[in-house]
């Protein structure tokens, strides 16, 4: 039977990082993936340019039932470590707003770097290969992984360490799967409820029609959600045929739960009530004020829904307050998210309490590791999810051990 030190299931961001680091330690590494190509998500990420990390990575950028869990991995391998790696390969990249680093040309340049690292480290790859079953060989404390390279065929490989880097449920068209959760359950590990994250929000009724009529339009606003402890996000929203998207909405979606409202401050830099009082004092045209602050298409649609007098001279201050309230605290109840087909990430997953934070190894199952998005760790928008893949992949590799021979 074929034997290797390490099998890594999943040739995505976390799996490739872990594979290269393990290979550099002199371990024999086999990376298995059921997709025909490695790193499908990196290829399409960041609009094809991969927002691969952030200059300001901090544990508070991650959602996890145990917020302390990410600290160790991020401290051992932070954004500067990954930047040093891509610098060694001469990657051209650029820094955009809020510290986001993107490839200057193509995300595939990043895949090329990771594949080169794996080649230099001597990793073997077996793509288009499914996992039929995993058996723990109790007497040897090793794992027997039964691979299925093609329909009907089967091949067993024994390893000392099994690293699960199969990601999560978002983007099923890129072969996303819940296999990691199933394996966790096979070993009696808790899996926390999952839901789509960094995902557009959809509406029914009048708000659906309102958004659809403005489809393609973007506004810089601040978005918060009903949950008191959730942060507010000052970025763009984008109207779509089904509701709202854009960075501020994707960020807010990580904190939104069904039945809750989101709140949009349409002019976060302005005290709108004061501005309307000044407009009343001037007795100038309301529409001119809207023209100064919003695109025509938006304010026409807004005023059609929430009509205001032409001038405010005869308007009571209470009425002004409520117009301002509407613009500054626009509350909307999404009917749902756009689902896993459109979600960049999956919230929830394998309970991090099951793992050692220093190396992502299962506490009660030596040699079994879970890294990347399969865990209950979700980054905010901005390159944090890839950073988690790099950090968790790196730390797992540090404690992998050679196969014990009899
Ligand atoms: C459209 C989109 C854009 C994104 N943009 C960004 C961005 O710019 N910046 C950022 O930080 N994050 C971004 N993300 C999120 C980021 O891609 C993920 O968080 C990251 O790829 C997770 O890494 P991973 O290695 O855990 O999983 P993945 O990269 O998803 O890799 C998992 C691998 O496991 C394989 N696999 C799954 N099931 C099985 C199985 N049963 N058997 C064998 N193999 C299996 C898959 O084929 C895949 O290759 C984006 C995601 C999407 C969908």
């Amino acid at each position: 039977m074929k034997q290797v030190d390490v099998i890594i299931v999943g040739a995505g961001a976390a799996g490739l990082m872990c594979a290269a680091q393990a290979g550099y330690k002199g371990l024999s590494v086999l990376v298995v993936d059921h997709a025909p190509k490695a790193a499908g998500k990196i290829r399409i990420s960041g609009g094809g340019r991969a927002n691969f990390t952030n200059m300001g990575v901090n544990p508070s950028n991650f959602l996890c039932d145990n917020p302390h869990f990410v600290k160790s991995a991020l401290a051992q391998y932070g954004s500067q470590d990954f930047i040093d790696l891509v610098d060694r390969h001469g990657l051209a990249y650029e820094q955009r707003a809020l510290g986001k680093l993107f490839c200057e040309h193509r995300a595939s340049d990043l895949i090329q770097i990771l594949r080169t690292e794996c080649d230099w480290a001597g990793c073997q790859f077996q793509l288009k290969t499914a996992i039929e079953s995993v058996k723990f060989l109790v007497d040897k404390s090793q794992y027997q992984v039964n691979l299925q390279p093609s329909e009907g065929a089967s091949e067993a490989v024994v390893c000392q360490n099994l690293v699960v880097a199969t990601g999560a449920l978002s983007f099923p068209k890129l072969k996303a799967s819940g296999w990691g959760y199933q394996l966790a359950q096979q070993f009696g590990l808790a899996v926390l409820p999952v839901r789509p994250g960094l995902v557009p929000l959809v509406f029914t009724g009048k708000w659906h029609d309102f958004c659809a009529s403005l489809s393609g339009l973007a506004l810089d606003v601040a978005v918060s959600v009903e949950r008191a402890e959730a942060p507010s996000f000052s970025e763009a929203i984008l109207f779509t045929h089904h509701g709202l998207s854009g960075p501020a909405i994707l960020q807010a979606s990580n904190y939104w739960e069904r039945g809750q409202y989101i709140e949009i401050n349409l002019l976060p830099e302005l005290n709108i009530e004061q501005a309307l009082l000044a407009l009343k004092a001037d007795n100038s045209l309301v529409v001119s004020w809207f023209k100064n602050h919003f695109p025509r298409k938006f304010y026409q649609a807004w005023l059609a829904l929430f009509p205001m007098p032409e001038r405010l001279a005869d308007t009571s201050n209470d009425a002004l307050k409520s117009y301002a309230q509407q613009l500054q605290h626009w509350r909307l109840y999404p009917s749902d998210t756009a689902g896993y087909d459109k979600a960049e990430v999956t919230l929830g997953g394998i309970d991090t309490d099951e793992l050692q934070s220093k190396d992502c190894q299962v506490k009660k199952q030596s040699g079994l590791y879970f890294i990347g998005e399969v865990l209950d760790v979700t980054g905010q928008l901005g390159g944090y999810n890839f950073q988690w893949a790099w950090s968790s992949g790196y730390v797992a590799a540090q404690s992998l051990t050679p196969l014990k021979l009899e």
Side-chain angles (χ1 to χ4, degrees), residues 10 12-14 33-34 41 45-46 51 165-166 177 179 344 373 383 385-386:
D33 200 299
H34 62 179
K41 275 195 195 156
S45 64
N51 175 197
T166 45
S177 86
W179 185 82
E344 289 196 10
E373 203 185 314
N385 285 294
F386 279 140

Side-chain angles (χ1 to χ4, degrees), residues 159-220:
C159 60
Q160 189 68 40
N161 315 271
L162 178 60
V163 182
V164 180
T166 45
L169 299 175
S170 22
F171 260 63
K173 67 181 168 203
L174 287 179
K175 305 281 273 176
S177 86
W179 185 82
Y181 308 142
Q182 288 155 27
L183 190 80
Q185 280 157 349
Q186 177 185 330
F187 284 94
L189 310 181
V191 179
L192 301 179
V194 292
R195 62 192 167 90
L198 296 180
V199 61
L201 298 173
V202 298
F203 295 88
T204 51
K206 82 170 176 185
W207 292 121
H208 170 274
D209 299 346
F210 182 83
C211 292
S213 74
L214 296 172
S215 171
L217 187 87
L219 294 178
D220 283 323

Side-chain angles (χ1 to χ4, degrees), residues 7 9 32 129-136 143-148 153-159 162 179 182-183 186-187:
I7 292 182
V9 187
V32 181
T129 299
I131 309 293
E132 198 179 60
S133 59
V134 171
K135 214 192 291 175
F136 181 58
Y143 297 85
Q144 179 181 323
V145 181
N146 296 312
L147 308 179
Q148 208 172 29
S154 183
E155 181 194 359
V157 186
V158 167
C159 60
L162 178 60
W179 185 82
Q182 288 155 27
L183 190 80
Q186 177 185 330
F187 284 94

